[in-house]
Structures are given as C-alpha cells and as structure tokens.
Amino acid sequence: MSETRVPILMYHAVATDPNEATRALSVTPEAFAEQMAVLADRGLTPLTTAELAACWRSGRALPERPVLITFDDGYEGVHRHALPALAKHGFPATLFVSTGWLRGPYDTGGGLDTMLDWDQVRELAAAGVEIGGHSHSHPQLDQVSDATLRFELIHCKEIVSDQLGIAPASFAYPYGYSSRRVRQAVRETGYAQALAVGNGLARRAQGPYALRRVTVRRSTGIEEFERVVEGRAIARTFAGDRALTKGYAVVRRVRQARRLVSRSAG
C-alpha cells in the first residue's frame, strides 16, 4: 500500500487590506472561506498538527483524505476572519504563534501587521485551534547562537504555557529554516513535532521534526488550490519557490560559515 501523503496548508495573514510586509503571503477573507468550502465539498478531513503526528507515531490509521490547516505568526485576521469560516465547517486548525509579536505583556514590537492579543488566542484555543510555538522573536533559527536558539524556543514555550495553561506540543520553524542542531533543540525543548515548509506533501518518512507544508498565498487561485489539496502537480506548482529556496540556501550557508570563522578568530 502506498504511503499516505498529506497536504499541510500554510497560511499567514487573512485580511482584506494587509500591509505591504504581509500582502504576498496573505489571503482575503473571501478566498479563505471559498477554500474551506472546497475542503468540505471534496470530503477532506482536517486534523491538528498534534493529531497527525500522533497517528503517525502510533501507527493508527488516518481518516479518509486528511488535510491540515495551519497559520503562522499570529495575525489578528485569524480570529476575525478565519475562525468563523473554520467554525462553519467544524474544522480544527493549528496556529503557530511568535510570542514576542502578539499584543500584550510580551510584545517586542516586531509584529509585521495587526497581531492577535492573548484573549483572542485563548478564544481560538477554546474553539478547537491547536496553539503551537513559532519562536519568540521570529529569527532564522539556524543562523543564531546556541544560547539564542535555546532562549527563543524555551521562552516561547513558557509564555504559551503560562497564557493558556497547557504547553504547546507542536512547533513551526520561522521562515521554514531548520538544521540538525535546530531540530535537536526543538526536540529537547519538549516539542513533539515540528513543521517546515518545503512546498511538498507531508509523509511519515520525513520524520516528526521536518514535515513539509504547502504555501497558500494571495496569488493562489481556486483551481491551483484544488490541485494542491488533491496532491496534483505539486512540483510544477511550486517549481519557482523551490528554485529560489535552493539559491538562497547557498547564500545562507556562506553567511553562516563566515560567522563561524569570525567567532573562532575572535
């Protein structure tokens, strides 16, 4: 029997008029509602990140036609616009929060647009949205020191635990970037699973700390969305993204090597 491949949808802002910093990776409320209707009409079964990982970890069978709906960063439109659309269909989802970007006592001012506050995060959790970690200040985790990496992971987990009364079980890497060192630190911090990007379908063989997602953005038309959730033409749809990712990976490796040389010389 072939291995189940699961589309994990990655959203960011859901907004009618987002700012320039978030526009490309945003979707309109109308588009999001239409996309949720597609999932319902086609009989897909949304799961939380923790539910998917638990099935794969235990060997339990997945439901028919599984799909994950995930949001990164913590934009206010997830509560204002996405939650009603999710509730209409009884869909669960996962929200990965950058705790230093949310409005409230831990706000560092780094949020790119209007962000959620903690009351809204609690309302999302009460409505069946799994709240996961996304670091504290949203850095490229594979480019920071060991001490900063530990702080970003632990501080995020402690804040979510304090605000919600339950520790986050799932994590998403900011920008999708990770490394063996980062994945090990995420595991040691107590997260049971973590999501990357990769713009491919998730498979059990990827392991619980490197599950791939597919990007949904403002330019994603409904026909493209339908192809993605059906698992068709994924490589062709995201060919441009993959080429850019590979090119930037080379640049980032060179930068990291220079930093390591600079530290050792100092």
Side-chain angles (χ1 to χ4, degrees):
M1 189 172 69
S2 62
E3 182 183 20
T4 301
R5 297 170 182 257
V6 180
I8 303 181
L9 307 174
M10 181 181 70
Y11 291 94
H12 287 78
V14 182
T16 299
D17 188 27
N19 64 16
E20 286 307 308
T22 61
R23 179 172 297 277
L25 285 177
S26 70
V27 297
T28 66
E30 295 77 16
F32 184 78
E34 185 178 16
Q35 289 160 4
M36 294 304 99
V38 166
L39 299 184
D41 291 345
R42 291 178 177 253
L44 276 81
T45 305
L47 303 170
T48 65
T49 303
E51 287 171 340
L52 174 69
C55 284
W56 274 343
R57 190 174 284 113
S58 67
R60 293 201 311 271
L62 289 169
E64 286 293 317
R65 312 197 68 200
V67 64
L68 271 66
I69 304 159
T70 71
F71 303 90
D72 282 7
D73 303 344
Y75 298 101
E76 193 266 347
V78 175
H79 182 275
R80 180 188 299 268
H81 302 299
L83 182 56
L86 293 169
K88 177 180 178 180
H89 301 287
F91 286 169
T94 306
L95 166 67
F96 296 101
V97 295
S98 293
T99 48
W101 283 15
L102 301 189
R103 289 181 288 150
Y106 310 102
D107 190 352
T108 63
L112 299 181
D113 206 334
T114 304
M115 309 304 292
L116 295 162
D117 63 32
W118 283 103
D119 284 340
Q120 292 171 320
V121 174
R122 281 186 283 272
E123 288 176 14
L124 285 160
V129 176
E130 177 192 0
I131 308 301
H134 196 46
S135 80
H136 184 60
S137 65
H138 203 279
Q140 298 179 21
L141 292 176
D142 60 339
Q143 302 289 306
V144 302
S145 68
D146 289 347
T148 299
L149 173 60
R150 286 193 298 271
F151 171 81
E152 286 287 337
L153 298 176
I154 294 170
H155 199 44
C156 175
K157 183 181 179 184
E158 289 177 342
I159 291 172
V160 173
S161 301
D162 179 65
Q163 290 293 317
L164 302 184
I166 184 171
S170 305
F171 188 82
Y173 306 108
Y175 308 101
Y177 299 141
S178 71
S179 64
R180 183 178 299 175
R181 176 180 70 107
V182 171
R183 292 189 290 273
Q184 177 68 22
V186 168
R187 184 165 59 247
E188 290 174 353
T189 304
Y191 293 101
Q193 52 273 329
L195 303 184
V197 182
N199 283 313
L201 300 179
R203 298 180 293 118
R204 185 179 182 182
Q206 291 161 1
Y209 292 95
L211 295 175
R212 292 185 175 184
R213 293 189 285 176
V214 289
T215 307
V216 185
R217 49 170 65 95
R218 209 163 187 85
S219 61
T220 303
I222 198 63
E223 291 183 359
E224 178 182 319
F225 181 82
E226 290 172 346
R227 287 196 302 271
V228 167
V229 298
E230 294 286 349
R232 293 186 285 112
I234 298 292
R236 186 169 74 245
T237 299
F238 294 104
D241 295 81
R242 289 177 173 176
L244 288 171
T245 298
K246 287 181 179 177
Y248 193 42
V250 173
V251 173
R252 294 172 67 253
R253 280 197 295 272
V254 170
R255 288 176 180 170
Q256 188 173 32
R258 286 175 178 167
R259 272 196 290 270
L260 290 173
V261 170
S262 176
R263 287 174 192 162
S264 62

